[in-house]
Amino acid sequence: EDLEPVVPEHEGHKWIINEFLEWLDGGPDPATIVWDNIKSAAMLFGGIEASRSGQTVDVAAMAAQALRRANAA
């Protein structure tokens, strides 16, 4: 049996913006939320710092510090 492909109402940036607007109206969390993005960036910069310094890096602490800075801004 052939199935028709699902065609989303929105794609790309429009999809992300639509998810955010639905969240503002009480809907579910969007696919990308700032805390997840901060954790991803902390992993990236933690890896860079560990490579540069040859030391282990507390990535969770880096993410928490970035979140505190973002909340203070």
Side-chain angles (χ1 to χ4, degrees):
E1 162 182 2
D2 290 338
L3 298 175
E4 293 294 319
V6 175
V7 179
E9 182 179 349
H10 303 285
E11 295 183 22
H13 285 78
K14 288 181 182 180
W15 172 71
I16 292 170
I17 293 167
N18 185 65
E19 278 202 335
F20 177 72
L21 294 174
E22 286 181 2
W23 172 77
L24 287 176
D25 287 337
D29 287 345
T32 59
I33 56 176
V34 71
W35 177 238
D36 289 339
N37 295 335
I38 288 173
K39 290 188 293 186
S40 296
M43 286 190 304
L44 172 69
F45 289 112
I48 292 169
E49 178 59 23
S51 177
R52 185 194 66 74
S53 68
Q55 302 291 318
T56 58
V57 173
D58 186 345
V59 174
M62 287 183 78
Q65 181 182 25
L67 186 60
R68 282 192 302 275
R69 287 180 179 171
N71 286 333

Short mmCIF file of all heavy atoms in Angstrom, two decimals:
data_model
loop_
_atom_site.label_atom_id
_atom_site.label_comp_id
_atom_site.label_asym_id
_atom_site.label_seq_id
_atom_site.Cartn_x
_atom_site.Cartn_y
_atom_site.Cartn_z
N GLU A 1 0.84 -1.17 0.00
CA GLU A 1 0.00 0.00 0.00
C GLU A 1 0.89 1.24 0.00
O GLU A 1 1.80 1.38 0.80
CB GLU A 1 -0.89 -0.07 1.24
CG GLU A 1 -1.51 1.20 1.63
CD GLU A 1 -2.33 1.06 2.92
OE1 GLU A 1 -2.39 -0.01 3.52
OE2 GLU A 1 -2.89 2.06 3.28
N ASP A 2 0.63 2.15 -0.92
CA ASP A 2 1.38 3.40 -1.00
C ASP A 2 0.81 4.41 -0.01
O ASP A 2 -0.41 4.53 0.14
CB ASP A 2 1.31 3.99 -2.41
CG ASP A 2 2.09 3.17 -3.42
OD1 ASP A 2 3.00 2.44 -2.99
OD2 ASP A 2 1.79 3.27 -4.62
N LEU A 3 1.70 5.10 0.62
CA LEU A 3 1.30 6.16 1.55
C LEU A 3 1.75 7.50 1.02
O LEU A 3 2.83 7.62 0.46
CB LEU A 3 1.92 5.93 2.93
CG LEU A 3 1.53 4.65 3.64
CD1 LEU A 3 2.32 4.51 4.93
CD2 LEU A 3 0.03 4.63 3.93
N GLU A 4 0.93 8.48 1.21
CA GLU A 4 1.27 9.83 0.80
C GLU A 4 2.26 10.41 1.81
O GLU A 4 2.11 10.21 3.01
CB GLU A 4 0.02 10.72 0.72
CG GLU A 4 -0.95 10.33 -0.37
CD GLU A 4 -0.35 10.55 -1.75
OE1 GLU A 4 0.32 11.58 -1.97
OE2 GLU A 4 -0.56 9.68 -2.61
N PRO A 5 3.27 11.13 1.34
CA PRO A 5 4.21 11.75 2.28
C PRO A 5 3.51 12.84 3.11
O PRO A 5 2.57 13.48 2.65
CB PRO A 5 5.28 12.36 1.38
CG PRO A 5 4.63 12.51 0.05
CD PRO A 5 3.58 11.43 -0.04
N VAL A 6 3.98 12.98 4.32
CA VAL A 6 3.45 14.04 5.19
C VAL A 6 4.10 15.35 4.78
O VAL A 6 5.32 15.46 4.71
CB VAL A 6 3.76 13.73 6.67
CG1 VAL A 6 3.31 14.87 7.55
CG2 VAL A 6 3.09 12.43 7.08
N VAL A 7 3.30 16.33 4.49
CA VAL A 7 3.79 17.64 4.10
C VAL A 7 3.55 18.58 5.28
O VAL A 7 2.40 18.86 5.63
CB VAL A 7 3.08 18.16 2.84
CG1 VAL A 7 3.59 19.55 2.47
CG2 VAL A 7 3.25 17.19 1.69
N PRO A 8 4.64 19.04 5.91
CA PRO A 8 4.45 19.92 7.07
C PRO A 8 3.85 21.26 6.67
O PRO A 8 4.03 21.74 5.55
CB PRO A 8 5.87 20.09 7.62
CG PRO A 8 6.76 19.80 6.48
CD PRO A 8 6.04 18.84 5.59
N GLU A 9 3.13 21.85 7.62
CA GLU A 9 2.53 23.15 7.37
C GLU A 9 3.61 24.22 7.21
O GLU A 9 3.47 25.14 6.42
CB GLU A 9 1.61 23.51 8.54
CG GLU A 9 0.89 24.82 8.39
CD GLU A 9 -0.03 25.12 9.56
OE1 GLU A 9 -0.27 24.25 10.40
OE2 GLU A 9 -0.50 26.27 9.62
N HIS A 10 4.71 24.07 7.98
CA HIS A 10 5.81 25.04 7.95
C HIS A 10 7.12 24.27 7.82
O HIS A 10 7.24 23.15 8.30
CB HIS A 10 5.86 25.88 9.23
CG HIS A 10 4.60 26.62 9.51
ND1 HIS A 10 4.23 27.74 8.81
CD2 HIS A 10 3.61 26.41 10.41
CE1 HIS A 10 3.07 28.18 9.27
NE2 HIS A 10 2.68 27.39 10.24
N GLU A 11 8.11 24.90 7.21
CA GLU A 11 9.44 24.30 7.08
C GLU A 11 10.49 25.34 7.47
O GLU A 11 10.23 26.54 7.44
CB GLU A 11 9.69 23.82 5.65
CG GLU A 11 8.79 22.69 5.23
CD GLU A 11 9.11 22.19 3.82
OE1 GLU A 11 10.23 22.41 3.35
OE2 GLU A 11 8.21 21.62 3.20
N GLY A 12 11.70 24.87 7.80
CA GLY A 12 12.83 25.75 8.07
C GLY A 12 12.56 26.72 9.20
O GLY A 12 12.01 26.35 10.25
N HIS A 13 12.94 27.97 8.99
CA HIS A 13 12.78 28.99 10.02
C HIS A 13 11.32 29.20 10.38
O HIS A 13 10.98 29.45 11.55
CB HIS A 13 13.41 30.30 9.57
CG HIS A 13 14.90 30.29 9.62
ND1 HIS A 13 15.66 29.67 8.67
CD2 HIS A 13 15.77 30.78 10.53
CE1 HIS A 13 16.93 29.80 8.97
NE2 HIS A 13 17.03 30.46 10.10
N LYS A 14 10.44 29.10 9.40
CA LYS A 14 9.02 29.28 9.68
C LYS A 14 8.53 28.21 10.66
O LYS A 14 7.71 28.48 11.53
CB LYS A 14 8.20 29.24 8.39
CG LYS A 14 8.38 30.45 7.53
CD LYS A 14 7.52 30.35 6.28
CE LYS A 14 7.74 31.56 5.39
NZ LYS A 14 6.94 31.48 4.18
N TRP A 15 9.04 27.00 10.53
CA TRP A 15 8.67 25.91 11.43
C TRP A 15 9.12 26.23 12.86
O TRP A 15 8.35 26.08 13.81
CB TRP A 15 9.28 24.60 10.94
CG TRP A 15 9.13 23.46 11.90
CD1 TRP A 15 7.97 22.81 12.21
CD2 TRP A 15 10.15 22.86 12.66
NE1 TRP A 15 8.23 21.83 13.13
CE2 TRP A 15 9.57 21.83 13.43
CE3 TRP A 15 11.52 23.07 12.78
CZ2 TRP A 15 10.29 21.04 14.29
CZ3 TRP A 15 12.24 22.27 13.63
CH2 TRP A 15 11.63 21.26 14.38
N ILE A 16 10.37 26.68 13.00
CA ILE A 16 10.91 26.99 14.33
C ILE A 16 10.13 28.14 14.96
O ILE A 16 9.77 28.10 16.14
CB ILE A 16 12.41 27.31 14.23
CG1 ILE A 16 13.18 26.06 13.85
CG2 ILE A 16 12.94 27.89 15.54
CD1 ILE A 16 14.63 26.30 13.50
N ILE A 17 9.86 29.18 14.19
CA ILE A 17 9.10 30.33 14.70
C ILE A 17 7.69 29.89 15.10
O ILE A 17 7.18 30.28 16.16
CB ILE A 17 9.08 31.47 13.67
CG1 ILE A 17 10.49 32.05 13.50
CG2 ILE A 17 8.07 32.55 14.07
CD1 ILE A 17 10.65 32.96 12.31
N ASN A 18 7.06 29.06 14.28
CA ASN A 18 5.72 28.58 14.59
C ASN A 18 5.72 27.77 15.89
O ASN A 18 4.82 27.92 16.72
CB ASN A 18 5.17 27.74 13.43
CG ASN A 18 3.75 27.32 13.68
OD1 ASN A 18 2.85 28.16 13.74
ND2 ASN A 18 3.52 26.03 13.82
N GLU A 19 6.72 26.91 16.08
CA GLU A 19 6.81 26.14 17.32
C GLU A 19 6.94 27.07 18.52
O GLU A 19 6.32 26.84 19.56
CB GLU A 19 8.00 25.18 17.29
CG GLU A 19 7.74 23.90 16.57
CD GLU A 19 8.70 22.82 17.00
OE1 GLU A 19 9.81 23.12 17.47
OE2 GLU A 19 8.31 21.65 16.90
N PHE A 20 7.76 28.09 18.39
CA PHE A 20 7.95 29.06 19.48
C PHE A 20 6.63 29.77 19.79
O PHE A 20 6.24 29.90 20.96
CB PHE A 20 9.03 30.08 19.11
CG PHE A 20 9.23 31.14 20.15
CD1 PHE A 20 9.83 30.86 21.36
CD2 PHE A 20 8.81 32.44 19.90
CE1 PHE A 20 10.00 31.85 22.33
CE2 PHE A 20 8.98 33.44 20.85
CZ PHE A 20 9.58 33.14 22.07
N LEU A 21 5.92 30.21 18.76
CA LEU A 21 4.66 30.91 18.98
C LEU A 21 3.62 30.00 19.61
O LEU A 21 2.85 30.43 20.49
CB LEU A 21 4.14 31.50 17.66
CG LEU A 21 5.01 32.60 17.06
CD1 LEU A 21 4.49 33.00 15.68
CD2 LEU A 21 5.11 33.80 17.99
N GLU A 22 3.59 28.74 19.20
CA GLU A 22 2.66 27.79 19.82
C GLU A 22 3.02 27.58 21.29
O GLU A 22 2.13 27.46 22.15
CB GLU A 22 2.67 26.46 19.06
CG GLU A 22 1.95 26.54 17.74
CD GLU A 22 1.93 25.22 16.99
OE1 GLU A 22 2.45 24.21 17.53
OE2 GLU A 22 1.41 25.20 15.87
N TRP A 23 4.32 27.55 21.61
CA TRP A 23 4.76 27.41 23.00
C TRP A 23 4.30 28.61 23.83
O TRP A 23 3.83 28.45 24.95
CB TRP A 23 6.28 27.26 23.04
CG TRP A 23 6.84 27.30 24.42
CD1 TRP A 23 6.82 26.31 25.35
CD2 TRP A 23 7.53 28.40 25.02
NE1 TRP A 23 7.45 26.72 26.50
CE2 TRP A 23 7.89 28.01 26.33
CE3 TRP A 23 7.87 29.68 24.59
CZ2 TRP A 23 8.58 28.85 27.20
CZ3 TRP A 23 8.56 30.51 25.46
CH2 TRP A 23 8.91 30.09 26.74
N LEU A 24 4.43 29.82 23.25
CA LEU A 24 3.97 31.02 23.95
C LEU A 24 2.49 30.94 24.29
O LEU A 24 2.04 31.49 25.30
CB LEU A 24 4.25 32.28 23.13
CG LEU A 24 5.70 32.74 23.04
CD1 LEU A 24 5.80 33.94 22.11
CD2 LEU A 24 6.27 33.07 24.41
N ASP A 25 1.73 30.26 23.43
CA ASP A 25 0.29 30.12 23.66
C ASP A 25 -0.05 28.93 24.55
O ASP A 25 -1.20 28.51 24.63
CB ASP A 25 -0.44 29.98 22.32
CG ASP A 25 -0.50 31.28 21.54
OD1 ASP A 25 -0.40 32.35 22.18
OD2 ASP A 25 -0.68 31.22 20.31
N GLY A 26 0.97 28.36 25.22
CA GLY A 26 0.72 27.26 26.15
C GLY A 26 0.95 25.88 25.57
O GLY A 26 0.66 24.88 26.22
N GLY A 27 1.49 25.82 24.36
CA GLY A 27 1.75 24.53 23.73
C GLY A 27 3.01 23.87 24.27
O GLY A 27 3.64 24.37 25.22
N PRO A 28 3.40 22.75 23.68
CA PRO A 28 4.59 22.03 24.15
C PRO A 28 5.88 22.80 23.88
O PRO A 28 5.91 23.71 23.05
CB PRO A 28 4.56 20.73 23.33
CG PRO A 28 3.78 21.07 22.10
CD PRO A 28 2.78 22.11 22.53
N ASP A 29 6.94 22.42 24.59
CA ASP A 29 8.25 23.04 24.35
C ASP A 29 8.64 22.88 22.89
O ASP A 29 8.41 21.82 22.30
CB ASP A 29 9.33 22.38 25.21
CG ASP A 29 9.24 22.76 26.68
OD1 ASP A 29 8.53 23.72 27.00
OD2 ASP A 29 9.88 22.07 27.49
N PRO A 30 9.24 23.92 22.31
CA PRO A 30 9.72 23.80 20.93
C PRO A 30 10.88 22.82 20.84
O PRO A 30 11.50 22.47 21.85
CB PRO A 30 10.15 25.22 20.56
CG PRO A 30 10.21 25.99 21.83
CD PRO A 30 9.46 25.24 22.87
N ALA A 31 11.19 22.39 19.62
CA ALA A 31 12.28 21.42 19.41
C ALA A 31 13.62 21.98 19.87
O ALA A 31 14.47 21.23 20.35
CB ALA A 31 12.34 21.02 17.94
N THR A 32 13.81 23.26 19.70
CA THR A 32 15.06 23.87 20.15
C THR A 32 14.73 24.89 21.23
O THR A 32 13.96 25.81 21.02
CB THR A 32 15.81 24.58 19.00
OG1 THR A 32 14.97 25.58 18.43
CG2 THR A 32 16.21 23.60 17.93
N ILE A 33 15.31 24.67 22.40
CA ILE A 33 15.12 25.60 23.51
C ILE A 33 16.50 26.09 23.92
O ILE A 33 17.51 25.41 23.74
CB ILE A 33 14.34 24.99 24.68
CG1 ILE A 33 15.01 23.71 25.19
CG2 ILE A 33 12.91 24.70 24.30
CD1 ILE A 33 14.34 23.13 26.42
N VAL A 34 16.55 27.27 24.48
CA VAL A 34 17.83 27.92 24.73
C VAL A 34 18.74 27.08 25.63
O VAL A 34 19.94 27.03 25.43
CB VAL A 34 17.64 29.35 25.28
CG1 VAL A 34 17.11 29.34 26.69
CG2 VAL A 34 18.92 30.14 25.19
N TRP A 35 18.18 26.42 26.65
CA TRP A 35 19.03 25.64 27.56
C TRP A 35 19.77 24.54 26.81
O TRP A 35 20.94 24.30 27.03
CB TRP A 35 18.22 25.09 28.72
CG TRP A 35 19.02 24.23 29.63
CD1 TRP A 35 18.78 22.93 29.95
CD2 TRP A 35 20.23 24.57 30.34
NE1 TRP A 35 19.74 22.46 30.81
CE2 TRP A 35 20.64 23.45 31.06
CE3 TRP A 35 20.99 25.73 30.42
CZ2 TRP A 35 21.78 23.43 31.86
CZ3 TRP A 35 22.13 25.71 31.22
CH2 TRP A 35 22.51 24.59 31.92
N ASP A 36 19.09 23.86 25.87
CA ASP A 36 19.76 22.83 25.07
C ASP A 36 20.87 23.44 24.21
O ASP A 36 21.94 22.86 24.06
CB ASP A 36 18.76 22.10 24.17
CG ASP A 36 17.82 21.20 24.94
OD1 ASP A 36 18.17 20.81 26.09
OD2 ASP A 36 16.75 20.87 24.41
N ASN A 37 20.61 24.62 23.66
CA ASN A 37 21.62 25.28 22.84
C ASN A 37 22.83 25.70 23.68
O ASN A 37 23.97 25.60 23.23
CB ASN A 37 21.02 26.48 22.12
CG ASN A 37 19.94 26.08 21.13
OD1 ASN A 37 19.93 24.96 20.64
ND2 ASN A 37 19.03 26.97 20.86
N ILE A 38 22.57 26.17 24.90
CA ILE A 38 23.68 26.54 25.79
C ILE A 38 24.52 25.32 26.12
O ILE A 38 25.76 25.38 26.12
CB ILE A 38 23.16 27.25 27.05
CG1 ILE A 38 22.66 28.65 26.69
CG2 ILE A 38 24.22 27.31 28.14
CD1 ILE A 38 21.97 29.38 27.83
N LYS A 39 23.87 24.19 26.40
CA LYS A 39 24.61 22.96 26.71
C LYS A 39 25.45 22.52 25.51
O LYS A 39 26.60 22.09 25.68
CB LYS A 39 23.67 21.84 27.15
CG LYS A 39 23.05 22.08 28.52
CD LYS A 39 22.28 20.89 29.04
CE LYS A 39 21.05 20.61 28.24
NZ LYS A 39 20.21 19.54 28.81
N SER A 40 24.91 22.62 24.32
CA SER A 40 25.66 22.25 23.11
C SER A 40 26.87 23.15 22.93
O SER A 40 27.97 22.68 22.60
CB SER A 40 24.77 22.34 21.87
OG SER A 40 23.73 21.41 21.94
N ALA A 41 26.67 24.45 23.13
CA ALA A 41 27.79 25.39 23.00
C ALA A 41 28.85 25.12 24.07
O ALA A 41 30.05 25.20 23.80
CB ALA A 41 27.29 26.83 23.08
N ALA A 42 28.41 24.80 25.30
CA ALA A 42 29.36 24.50 26.38
C ALA A 42 30.19 23.25 26.03
O ALA A 42 31.39 23.22 26.30
CB ALA A 42 28.62 24.30 27.70
N MET A 43 29.56 22.25 25.43
CA MET A 43 30.33 21.06 25.01
C MET A 43 31.38 21.43 23.97
O MET A 43 32.52 21.00 24.05
CB MET A 43 29.39 19.99 24.43
CG MET A 43 28.58 19.28 25.47
SD MET A 43 27.69 17.84 24.85
CE MET A 43 26.73 18.53 23.52
N LEU A 44 30.99 22.27 23.02
CA LEU A 44 31.92 22.70 21.98
C LEU A 44 33.08 23.48 22.58
O LEU A 44 34.26 23.15 22.36
CB LEU A 44 31.19 23.55 20.94
CG LEU A 44 32.06 24.23 19.90
CD1 LEU A 44 32.66 23.20 18.97
CD2 LEU A 44 31.28 25.27 19.15
N PHE A 45 32.77 24.52 23.36
CA PHE A 45 33.83 25.35 23.93
C PHE A 45 34.62 24.61 25.00
O PHE A 45 35.82 24.86 25.17
CB PHE A 45 33.26 26.67 24.46
CG PHE A 45 32.81 27.58 23.36
CD1 PHE A 45 31.48 27.87 23.17
CD2 PHE A 45 33.74 28.14 22.49
CE1 PHE A 45 31.06 28.70 22.14
CE2 PHE A 45 33.34 28.96 21.46
CZ PHE A 45 32.00 29.25 21.28
N GLY A 46 33.98 23.69 25.71
CA GLY A 46 34.71 22.85 26.66
C GLY A 46 35.73 21.98 25.97
O GLY A 46 36.86 21.82 26.43
N GLY A 47 35.35 21.42 24.83
CA GLY A 47 36.28 20.62 24.04
C GLY A 47 37.45 21.44 23.52
O GLY A 47 38.60 21.00 23.54
N ILE A 48 37.16 22.64 23.08
CA ILE A 48 38.22 23.54 22.60
C ILE A 48 39.18 23.88 23.74
O ILE A 48 40.41 23.82 23.58
CB ILE A 48 37.62 24.82 21.98
CG1 ILE A 48 36.88 24.48 20.68
CG2 ILE A 48 38.69 25.87 21.75
CD1 ILE A 48 36.04 25.60 20.13
N GLU A 49 38.61 24.23 24.91
CA GLU A 49 39.45 24.59 26.06
C GLU A 49 40.27 23.40 26.54
O GLU A 49 41.45 23.54 26.87
CB GLU A 49 38.58 25.14 27.20
CG GLU A 49 39.34 25.48 28.45
CD GLU A 49 40.43 26.54 28.26
OE1 GLU A 49 40.36 27.33 27.29
OE2 GLU A 49 41.37 26.58 29.07
N ALA A 50 39.67 22.21 26.57
CA ALA A 50 40.40 21.01 27.00
C ALA A 50 41.55 20.72 26.03
O ALA A 50 42.66 20.35 26.45
CB ALA A 50 39.46 19.82 27.09
N SER A 51 41.30 20.89 24.75
CA SER A 51 42.35 20.68 23.75
C SER A 51 43.47 21.69 23.91
O SER A 51 44.65 21.35 23.82
CB SER A 51 41.74 20.77 22.35
OG SER A 51 42.73 20.62 21.37
N ARG A 52 43.10 22.95 24.15
CA ARG A 52 44.09 24.01 24.31
C ARG A 52 44.93 23.83 25.56
O ARG A 52 46.15 23.95 25.53
CB ARG A 52 43.39 25.38 24.36
CG ARG A 52 44.35 26.57 24.40
CD ARG A 52 43.66 27.86 24.80
NE ARG A 52 43.15 27.85 26.15
CZ ARG A 52 43.93 27.96 27.26
NH1 ARG A 52 45.23 28.05 27.15
NH2 ARG A 52 43.38 27.95 28.45
N SER A 53 44.27 23.50 26.66
CA SER A 53 44.96 23.45 27.95
C SER A 53 45.52 22.08 28.31
O SER A 53 46.39 21.98 29.17
CB SER A 53 44.01 23.89 29.07
OG SER A 53 42.98 22.92 29.26
N GLY A 54 45.00 21.03 27.68
CA GLY A 54 45.42 19.68 28.04
C GLY A 54 44.81 19.22 29.37
O GLY A 54 45.24 18.21 29.92
N GLN A 55 43.83 19.96 29.88
CA GLN A 55 43.17 19.65 31.15
C GLN A 55 41.71 19.28 30.90
O GLN A 55 41.12 19.68 29.90
CB GLN A 55 43.23 20.87 32.08
CG GLN A 55 44.61 21.38 32.39
CD GLN A 55 45.39 20.42 33.27
OE1 GLN A 55 44.85 19.87 34.21
NE2 GLN A 55 46.66 20.21 32.94
N THR A 56 41.13 18.54 31.86
CA THR A 56 39.70 18.28 31.76
C THR A 56 38.95 19.57 32.07
O THR A 56 39.45 20.45 32.77
CB THR A 56 39.26 17.17 32.73
OG1 THR A 56 39.60 17.56 34.06
CG2 THR A 56 39.92 15.85 32.39
N VAL A 57 37.75 19.67 31.52
CA VAL A 57 36.94 20.86 31.68
C VAL A 57 35.57 20.45 32.22
O VAL A 57 34.99 19.45 31.77
CB VAL A 57 36.77 21.59 30.32
CG1 VAL A 57 35.80 22.74 30.42
CG2 VAL A 57 38.12 22.07 29.82
N ASP A 58 35.06 21.18 33.19
CA ASP A 58 33.73 20.94 33.75
C ASP A 58 32.70 21.60 32.84
O ASP A 58 32.38 22.78 33.00
CB ASP A 58 33.66 21.48 35.18
CG ASP A 58 32.36 21.13 35.88
OD1 ASP A 58 31.40 20.72 35.20
OD2 ASP A 58 32.33 21.28 37.11
N VAL A 59 32.19 20.84 31.89
CA VAL A 59 31.26 21.38 30.90
C VAL A 59 29.95 21.81 31.56
O VAL A 59 29.37 22.84 31.19
CB VAL A 59 31.02 20.36 29.77
CG1 VAL A 59 29.96 20.85 28.81
CG2 VAL A 59 32.32 20.09 29.02
N ALA A 60 29.49 21.06 32.55
CA ALA A 60 28.25 21.43 33.24
C ALA A 60 28.40 22.80 33.91
O ALA A 60 27.47 23.62 33.89
CB ALA A 60 27.87 20.37 34.26
N ALA A 61 29.55 23.05 34.51
CA ALA A 61 29.80 24.35 35.14
C ALA A 61 29.85 25.46 34.09
O ALA A 61 29.34 26.56 34.33
CB ALA A 61 31.09 24.33 35.94
N MET A 62 30.44 25.17 32.93
CA MET A 62 30.47 26.17 31.86
C MET A 62 29.06 26.52 31.41
O MET A 62 28.73 27.69 31.20
CB MET A 62 31.27 25.65 30.65
CG MET A 62 32.76 25.59 30.84
SD MET A 62 33.58 25.04 29.33
CE MET A 62 33.54 26.55 28.37
N ALA A 63 28.21 25.49 31.26
CA ALA A 63 26.83 25.72 30.83
C ALA A 63 26.06 26.52 31.88
O ALA A 63 25.33 27.45 31.54
CB ALA A 63 26.13 24.39 30.55
N ALA A 64 26.24 26.18 33.14
CA ALA A 64 25.55 26.90 34.22
C ALA A 64 25.99 28.35 34.27
O ALA A 64 25.16 29.27 34.46
CB ALA A 64 25.79 26.21 35.55
N GLN A 65 27.27 28.60 34.09
CA GLN A 65 27.78 29.98 34.09
C GLN A 65 27.20 30.75 32.91
O GLN A 65 26.79 31.91 33.05
CB GLN A 65 29.30 29.98 34.03
CG GLN A 65 29.91 31.37 34.06
CD GLN A 65 31.42 31.35 33.96
OE1 GLN A 65 32.01 30.41 33.43
NE2 GLN A 65 32.05 32.37 34.48
N ALA A 66 27.13 30.14 31.73
CA ALA A 66 26.58 30.81 30.56
C ALA A 66 25.11 31.13 30.78
O ALA A 66 24.63 32.21 30.41
CB ALA A 66 26.76 29.94 29.32
N LEU A 67 24.37 30.22 31.41
CA LEU A 67 22.97 30.47 31.68
C LEU A 67 22.79 31.61 32.68
O LEU A 67 21.92 32.47 32.50
CB LEU A 67 22.30 29.19 32.21
CG LEU A 67 20.79 29.28 32.41
CD1 LEU A 67 20.08 29.60 31.11
CD2 LEU A 67 20.26 27.98 32.99
N ARG A 68 23.62 31.65 33.71
CA ARG A 68 23.56 32.77 34.67
C ARG A 68 23.83 34.09 33.97
O ARG A 68 23.15 35.09 34.22
CB ARG A 68 24.57 32.56 35.81
CG ARG A 68 24.12 31.55 36.85
CD ARG A 68 25.00 31.58 38.09
NE ARG A 68 26.42 31.33 37.82
CZ ARG A 68 26.96 30.11 37.73
NH1 ARG A 68 26.22 29.04 37.88
NH2 ARG A 68 28.26 29.98 37.50
N ARG A 69 24.82 34.10 33.08
CA ARG A 69 25.12 35.34 32.34
C ARG A 69 23.96 35.74 31.44
O ARG A 69 23.62 36.92 31.32
CB ARG A 69 26.38 35.16 31.51
CG ARG A 69 27.64 35.15 32.33
CD ARG A 69 28.85 34.98 31.46
NE ARG A 69 30.08 34.99 32.25
CZ ARG A 69 31.25 34.69 31.76
NH1 ARG A 69 31.40 34.35 30.49
NH2 ARG A 69 32.31 34.72 32.54
N ALA A 70 23.33 34.76 30.78
CA ALA A 70 22.20 35.05 29.91
C ALA A 70 21.03 35.59 30.70
O ALA A 70 20.35 36.53 30.27
CB ALA A 70 21.80 33.80 29.15
N ASN A 71 20.79 35.04 31.88
CA ASN A 71 19.68 35.51 32.71
C ASN A 71 19.94 36.89 33.28
O ASN A 71 19.00 37.63 33.56
CB ASN A 71 19.41 34.52 33.85
CG ASN A 71 18.73 33.27 33.35
OD1 ASN A 71 18.04 33.28 32.34
ND2 ASN A 71 18.95 32.18 34.05
N ALA A 72 21.21 37.25 33.47
CA ALA A 72 21.58 38.56 34.03
C ALA A 72 21.47 39.66 32.97
O ALA A 72 21.37 40.83 33.32
CB ALA A 72 22.97 38.52 34.62
N ALA A 73 21.53 39.28 31.72
CA ALA A 73 21.53 40.28 30.63
C ALA A 73 20.16 40.88 30.39
O ALA A 73 19.17 40.44 30.76
CB ALA A 73 22.02 39.64 29.33
#
